[in-house]
Amino acid sequence: MTTEVNASRDNKDVRRLDRVIIRFAGDSGDGMQLTGDRFTSETASLGNDLATLPNFPAEIRAPAGTLPGVSSFQVHFADHDILTPGDAPNVLVAMNPAALKANVPDLPRGAEIIVNTDEFTSRAMAKVGYASDPLKDGSLDGYRVHEVPLTSLTVEALKEFGLTRKEAGRSKNMFALGLLSWMYHRPTEGTEAFLRGKFAKRPELAEANITAFRAGWNFGETTEDFAVSYEVAPAASAFPAGTYRNISGNLALAYGLIAASQRSELPLFLGSYPITPASDVLHELSKHKNFGVRTFQAEDEIAGIGAALGAAFGGSLGVTTTSGPGVALKSETIGLAVSLELPLLIVDIQRGGPSTGLPTKTEQADLLQAMFGRNGEAPVPVVAPATPADCFGAALDAARIALTYRTPVLLLSDGYLANGSEPWRVPEVDELPDLRVQFASGPNHELADGTEVFWPYKRDEHTLARPWAVPGTPGLEHRIGGIEKQDGSGNISYDPANHDHMVRVRQAKVDGVEVPDVVVDDPDGDAKVLVIGWGSTYGPITAGVRRIRRSGGRIAQAHLRNLNPFPANLGEVLRSYERVVLPEMNLGQLALLLRAKYLVDIESVTQVTGLPFKAEQLETAFKEALNRVH
């Protein structure tokens, strides 16, 4: 982080920074996610590049004042292109002792800490294991600590509203937001408008929160404790021309599904059961009936995918959203969709497992489940977005494959992408792919006696896709079900040779899905080490690669969106390098697949902490790989 002293601002220094990492932390009831989200929105409106990392307990209201109950929101913003939420915060806002203790280990020396001193009572400190007051015992001497009685100041600012101390204290997050907005020159109009909209039915609460927000701003401007404020210029050079907005992965995914519906001219049907961290997609799509979207909140995961598959049979773009435990429950119906050969999108927002695991934490451990988690030979294309904004394009790509090849498709996002956010350029309509399909309209096969009939499994020569016949179309009556079908006619068949043929054709159809070649970033063309990744590891991997290159190292990078089938040139790419390093948030699932398919040694870098990789961590792993090159 570079610093440059600028002009003064009301007799205070204003310093120019190229980037900042801020973490808001407190109890899960302290509004840290809302605070971080509002700071992020205002930062996006200024034109900074940014990346966020929300981190919160699985419980709706975790035990107050405890380490497991800490909720945090980290935002990294800069005047240039960035890729991750940052390794270590420059600023920590700690609303209580638990928030301080949980997050101090992540801070570099010299970082700023803003603590809510009102919460540092003997009981609260003892609850998290502090034997002495960390604000007085010297343990924070290496940091720039600002002791601010956030609760008391908020209560004082709101005394005219006649609220109890407890009621007024709930707005302390808005006081903190106002203070940080002053420190980093964030706009205020958007947050005030948001609060008026959020509390439209309780205008007195809107005004109380706005008053607390303004009080925080004014406190920063008048107190002597904050003698410096900071500016981070917009990242204009990092963005191509266009209209931008801040977007989370789940919101981008929902928009991508709506766009796929519009470009295919098919109604979108979502059959879903709420599950963390996928529920936001259901919530968002339910708002868009005006685009022909129909959402069905089913009684369980099996009913959700059953309804979605039924909608696909009826001629809709069928979608179901879930996480890993839900995919397990949906596996039989996914196999049915493979057998029926109908387009269906299964969205898996991965989380920590197994079983209930870590519902609010991230992981990439469902890849092998996506590839093989069904009985019999039931191949399914697999697509994985790389960033929150890329969830939009990945949804379109998954829809393209499903509609073109008449197959279910698994889209693997994860909690990091789902809840994280970044700037997204809103595409022009003519940039989006044409996904229109032709439904079967009449007989397509002539029998030996000259009779024209409809064969539901007579395939397109190029894609091997079967015709899509909408129920109720005269003359197109046909059987559906999970029992094996006769090739062409679709009649039930137990013939061994036919079953062998059908299994191989379904596999060949998936193997033949057209996907782009993998692109390798190798600036000098002479790197001996290739780093390959998939899904949300893109940001940390790229940040680590950039660090290696800045220090003079030569290293290549490639990233996979299509995991089944793999790009046609992938084997050649892997064999072109002496060493291939693959970071994954699992125990090496993609590495297992690549070793098996291409007989290439893969050096796995793995973690299953529930958190994304840090750039520094991967930089170290890449250096070690470079040192092993002969």
Side-chain angles (χ1 to χ4, degrees):
M1 179 176 66
T2 59
T3 304
E4 166 189 337
V5 177
N6 250 13
S8 64
R9 176 189 182 191
D10 297 329
N11 298 317
K12 296 188 178 185
D13 286 337
V14 178
R15 297 181 183 175
R16 173 67 62 85
L17 305 176
D18 65 343
R19 65 183 182 89
V20 178
I21 304 167
I22 299 173
R23 183 181 296 174
F24 299 92
D27 275 335
S28 58
D30 283 339
M32 293 297 93
Q33 303 305 316
L34 174 63
T35 305
D37 183 67
R38 289 314 312 158
F39 191 92
T40 299
S41 295
E42 300 299 359
T43 296
S45 72
L46 273 181
N48 296 119
D49 195 12
L50 62 90
T52 66
L53 178 62
N55 189 7
F56 44 87
E59 293 81 10
I60 294 174
R61 189 65 185 266
T66 65
L67 294 176
V70 172
S71 173
S72 68
F73 189 106
Q74 183 165 306
V75 55
H76 180 192
F77 58 103
D79 65 4
H80 58 278
D81 175 35
I82 59 174
L83 298 155
T84 74
D87 288 359
N90 310 117
V91 182
L92 171 66
V93 180
M95 304 299 279
N96 60 17
L100 179 66
K101 187 164 189 178
N103 290 285
V104 159
D106 292 339
L107 301 182
R109 289 292 171 175
E112 288 193 82
I113 304 175
I114 300 171
V115 293
N116 179 16
T117 54
D118 288 323
E119 297 298 323
F120 278 71
T121 64
S122 298
R123 181 180 179 184
M125 289 185 287
K127 196 172 189 178
V128 295
Y130 276 126
S132 59
D133 187 345
L135 304 181
K136 298 176 181 178
D137 63 11
S139 61
L140 300 178
D141 284 351
Y143 307 99
R144 291 178 288 163
V145 180
H146 303 278
E147 299 184 23
V148 183
L150 291 172
T151 305
S152 297
L153 289 170
T154 303
V155 171
E156 177 65 21
L158 301 184
K159 61 183 180 181
E160 65 183 87
F161 290 88
L163 301 172
T164 66
R165 180 179 177 85
K166 183 176 181 181
E167 290 170 336
R170 290 174 183 158
S171 296
K172 62 183 179 289
N173 64 321
M174 288 296 104
F175 188 101
L177 177 60
L179 173 57
L180 270 292
S181 297
W182 175 84
M183 284 181 66
Y184 291 96
H185 296 215
R186 301 296 96 180
T188 60
E189 296 82 1
T191 293
E192 292 190 9
F194 168 82
L195 291 171
R196 288 194 173 95
K198 180 177 177 64
F199 297 106
K201 296 181 179 179
R202 298 283 304 277
E204 70 281 5
L205 291 183
E207 291 309 311
N209 279 281
I210 290 170
T211 299
F213 176 65
R214 290 175 178 173
W217 176 284
N218 294 333
F219 178 78
E221 200 163 57
T222 57
T223 184
E224 294 181 1
D225 192 34
F226 292 90
V228 179
S229 65
Y230 305 93
E231 285 184 345
V232 180
S237 61
F239 302 124
T243 300
Y244 285 82
R245 60 157 296 165
N246 187 51
I247 200 166
S248 68
N250 272 353
L251 184 57
L253 181 56
Y255 286 176
L257 293 172
I258 295 170
S261 171
Q262 293 295 300
R263 297 298 285 173
S264 63
E265 298 181 354
L266 298 174
L268 175 63
F269 180 91
L270 175 69
S272 183
Y273 181 76
I275 184 172
T276 302
S279 300
D280 286 343
V281 182
L282 169 61
H283 300 159
E284 182 61 33
L285 288 177
S286 68
K287 302 174 184 177
H288 296 286
K289 297 180 179 66
N290 55 313
F291 284 111
V293 177
R294 179 170 295 178
T295 54
F296 168 55
Q297 182 173 316
E299 64 270 28
D300 56 41
E301 296 281 6
I302 298 172
I305 190 173
L309 183 57
F313 177 58
S316 294
L317 178 60
V319 183
T320 190
T321 52
T322 189
S323 191
V327 174
L329 292 168
K330 295 177 189 293
S331 62
E332 183 179 4
T333 306
I334 297 172
L336 176 60
V338 171
S339 177
L340 299 182
E341 300 188 49
L342 285 171
L344 178 67
L345 301 184
I346 303 101
V347 178
D348 177 4
I349 315 292
Q350 300 167 94
R351 70 189 205 187
S355 187
T356 307
L358 304 174
T360 60
K361 310 301 180 183
T362 195
E363 206 163 274
Q364 286 184 300
D366 294 352
L367 177 57
L368 294 183
Q369 181 185 30
M371 290 286 291
F372 306 117
R374 295 162 294 281
N375 64 295
E377 296 286 348
V380 171
V382 180
V383 177
T387 69
D390 188 44
C391 290
F392 179 86
L396 282 165
D397 193 35
R400 172 191 68 85
I401 295 170
L403 294 172
T404 302
Y405 296 90
R406 311 285 194 270
T407 179
V409 177
L410 262 156
L411 190 153
L412 292 181
S413 179
D414 62 42
Y416 172 40
L417 296 183
N419 296 317
S421 61
E422 65 178 348
W424 171 60
R425 186 181 71 83
V426 180
E428 300 294 332
V429 173
D430 58 10
E431 297 177 44
L432 303 178
D434 184 347
L435 300 179
R436 288 175 293 182
V437 298
Q438 293 293 324
F439 290 109
S441 58
N444 61 359
H445 183 74
E446 185 175 326
L447 299 177
D449 61 2
T451 303
E452 290 187 340
V453 297
F454 174 66
W455 271 16
Y457 286 85
K458 185 169 185 177
R459 302 177 183 279
D460 179 276
E461 293 182 1
H462 175 63
T463 65
L464 298 181
R466 78 174 186 91
W468 193 0
V470 176
T473 306
L476 303 190
E477 296 84 358
H478 61 283
R479 295 183 179 89
I480 62 168
I483 297 178
E484 187 61 278
K485 300 147 193 70
Q486 179 69 40
D487 187 27
S489 71
N491 295 330
I492 290 174
S493 173
Y494 296 98
D495 178 64
N498 176 77
H499 176 58
D500 183 273
H501 172 73
M502 291 293 280
V503 167
R504 294 179 188 277
V505 168
R506 288 189 290 261
Q507 183 66 59
K509 181 174 68 171
V510 172
D511 291 341
V513 170
E514 292 185 4
V515 302
D517 281 349
V518 62
V519 177
V520 179
D521 175 22
D522 187 354
D524 298 315
D526 58 357
K528 295 183 178 180
V529 173
L530 171 69
V531 180
I532 194 164
W534 69 277
S536 66
T537 55
Y538 173 78
I541 288 174
T542 307
V545 165
R546 285 182 179 179
R547 292 184 178 200
I548 293 291
R549 290 175 180 169
R550 279 198 296 267
S551 63
R554 296 183 176 180
I555 191 167
Q557 179 187 356
H559 207 78
L560 297 177
R561 175 192 271 184
N562 299 100
L563 300 170
N564 192 34
F566 289 127
N569 68 330
L570 181 56
E572 178 185 353
V573 166
L574 295 175
R575 288 186 284 267
S576 299
Y577 293 87
E578 287 188 22
R579 292 188 177 274
V580 180
V581 182
L582 172 52
E584 297 182 79
M585 292 187 294
N586 56 47
L587 296 183
Q589 296 187 12
L590 179 59
L592 178 70
L593 295 176
L594 295 182
R595 289 188 189 110
K597 185 172 180 65
Y598 300 110
L599 303 181
V600 172
D601 186 29
I602 306 292
E603 298 182 19
S604 282
V605 179
T606 64
Q607 75 170 30
V608 281
T609 62
L611 296 171
F613 284 106
K614 293 184 176 180
E616 182 180 17
Q617 172 189 1
L618 293 184
E619 178 190 13
T620 300
F622 301 161
K623 282 181 179 177
E624 292 173 355
L626 287 169
N627 291 337
R628 290 193 292 270
V629 172
H630 299 295

